[in-house]
Structure formats: structure tokens, C-alpha cells
Amino acid sequence: EPEVTQTPSHQVTQMGQEVILRCVPISNHLYFYWYRQILGQKVEFLVSFYNNEISEKSEIFDDQFSVERPDGSNFTLKIRSTKLEDSAMYFCASSERDLRGANVLTFGAGSRLTVL
Amino acid sequence: GQQVMQIPQYQHVQEGEDFTTYCNSSTTLSNIQWYKQRPGGHPVFLIQLVKSGEVKKQKRLTFQFGEAKKNSSLHITATQTTDVGTYFCAVTGGGADGLTFGKGTHLIIQP
């Protein structure tokens, strides 16, 4: 079964450092998403991406965050200057159609970010 | 974006007992999805409900969408240890908007 792959599985970084989390969505999917989950809490939407641009972003997705699709397969999330509160599990997800079309998300296994 | 309230936050059951989690919205929903997240895992899609009053079954799992499309429930009959995890409902604002997840119900099963 096709899957969304994420790297790294775990990243430890110092506060103020930049991190890049990588995702390879399912190949025929067109919509890409980043979510985060602070330990034990709910899954929070960060950003959606379609046709090489951001479609929607949440209040969490401030100027410290950016996304990019540098080539035909990768989808990246960059955090410019990490803060302690950025420590969380970051999930990438993709879908075939937009959610108005009642489609579903396939999530990757996640990248755990620990900011010290 | 749309908000959903999910209760209970935690549910302890004995293995073999039933389990139900509820999701409520103050506004009419176009559809609702349910996901399961095993401990240490990622959300995995279970089901999507679209029609008013819809009921869907997956083995021991029964999903319902209210007549007014403002609430939904997930019921598990005769829980097993493999059912352990967090069950989330999720709704969409439409278009390319991301899903908004409920806070989830953590199901803990005592053997």
C-alpha cells in the first residue's frame, strides 16, 4: 500500500537553530499538509499546499515556518529559528483531492522534533 | 475554522466491555472523518460519514452521523487489547483546508 515517508524520524536541535523536516507524499496525490502534535495533545493543522503554493495556513504557521516542494517528490517544512515550544511530533499528510471532495488524508509516521 | 468537541477525554474499560466516543459541533458539518492513533503511532483513517443519519459498520466498530449532521459517534463492541489508542474525529472547512481534529478520546483497556 502506498505510504507517506518522513525523515528524519527524530531530530534534536538547539534553540535558535534551523531545522528542515522532509516528506515524500504518495506519488499521485496533489494536496499536501503539515500537522503537529505536542505530546499527549491533539493533532493541529499547520499548512496545506497545492499547485506549488500554500492554500491555507493556521495561526501556528507564523513567519518562522515555511514549506517548499523543491522537486517532484519532496515536500519540506522549515523552521527558521526553533523555540522550545516547537518541540512536537510533526506529521506530513497527503490526499488525492481537496477535502471538499470528501477525500481522506494519509499520514506519514512523523518526525519528532526536540528543541533543547 | 470549524470546531468539534469530543468526549470523553479518557475512557478506561475492561477488555470485553463496550466503548463509545462522541463528537459534537455547533454548526452543521458537510462530513466527518474518524481516525485512530495507536500509542507512538500516526493517525490512520477509519471512516468518513457524509449523509444525515448515516450508520456504517466495520466489524466491531459502528459509526453514526446525526440527523442534523452536528454530531457523530464511534462505538466499539467487546473491546480487545488491539483497540487501545486515541480515537479522533475530524472535520474539514472545505477546499484545501486542513482537517480540524477533535481532542481525541484515549481508550485504555484493562485485561
Side-chain angles (χ1 to χ4, degrees):
Chain A
E1 187 165 327
E3 58 181 28
V4 175
T5 57
Q6 289 186 243
T7 55
S9 57
H10 191 189
Q11 172 124 23
V12 181
T13 190
Q14 294 289 328
M15 191 168 56
Q17 295 294 306
E18 174 183 286
V19 298
I20 297 176
L21 307 178
R22 292 182 167 79
C23 169
V24 179
I26 293 173
S27 60
N28 65 332
H29 284 189
L30 301 177
Y31 295 83
F32 314 119
Y33 308 84
W34 283 101
Y35 286 81
R36 80 170 186 191
Q37 185 178 36
I38 295 169
L39 187 62
Q41 298 186 23
K42 72 174 185 178
V43 180
E44 298 176 293
F45 169 70
L46 293 178
V47 66
S48 60
F49 192 87
Y50 169 71
N51 202 24
N52 284 320
E53 61 183 19
I54 290 174
S55 300
E56 188 76 18
K57 59 183 180 180
S58 71
E59 291 175 352
I60 303 169
F61 194 87
D62 60 23
D63 293 343
Q64 295 281 56
F65 292 89
S66 62
V67 289
E68 199 176 39
R69 188 153 164 83
D71 53 46
S73 60
N74 290 286
F75 179 51
T76 62
L77 174 70
K78 182 192 292 186
I79 309 175
R80 219 177 318 278
S81 177
T82 50
K83 302 183 282 250
L84 295 176
E85 53 265 37
D86 293 327
S87 294
M89 180 72 89
Y90 289 80
F91 291 109
C92 175
S94 67
S95 66
E96 280 185 74
R97 302 186 297 275
D98 69 55
L99 294 177
R100 202 185 350 245
N103 202 9
V104 303
L105 299 185
T106 302
F107 283 83
S111 293
R112 178 166 298 286
L113 176 64
T114 302
V115 182
L116 302 176
Chain B
Q2 292 183 306
Q3 300 293 325
V4 283
M5 297 292 295
Q6 192 173 354
I7 56 170
Q9 188 175 357
Y10 293 91
Q11 183 81 57
H12 291 79
V13 300
Q14 295 285 333
E15 189 175 6
E17 291 182 339
D18 293 356
F19 159 78
T20 306
T21 173
Y22 301 89
C23 209
N24 298 292
S25 169
S26 58
T27 59
T28 303
L29 303 169
S30 57
N31 62 76
I32 191 164
Q33 298 180 7
W34 286 91
Y35 289 77
K36 176 184 179 181
Q37 185 178 27
R38 292 181 186 276
H42 58 279
V44 174
F45 172 78
L46 293 176
I47 205 85
Q48 179 167 255
L49 304 171
V50 179
K51 299 176 185 175
S52 167
E54 189 170 15
V55 178
K56 287 188 177 180
K57 293 193 175 186
Q58 290 179 350
K59 298 183 181 177
R60 294 178 294 105
L61 278 61
T62 301
F63 303 84
Q64 293 190 351
F65 203 8
E67 293 289 341
K69 299 180 73 173
K70 289 185 176 181
N71 56 74
S72 181
S73 65
L74 157 58
H75 179 82
I76 303 178
T77 304
T79 53
Q80 300 173 358
T81 53
T82 53
D83 295 326
V84 163
T86 304
Y87 293 84
F88 293 97
C89 61
V91 299
T92 175
D97 290 359
L99 287 174
T100 298
F101 282 76
K103 288 190 175 181
T105 296
H106 302 265
L107 173 59
I108 298 120
I109 297 177
Q110 291 148 348

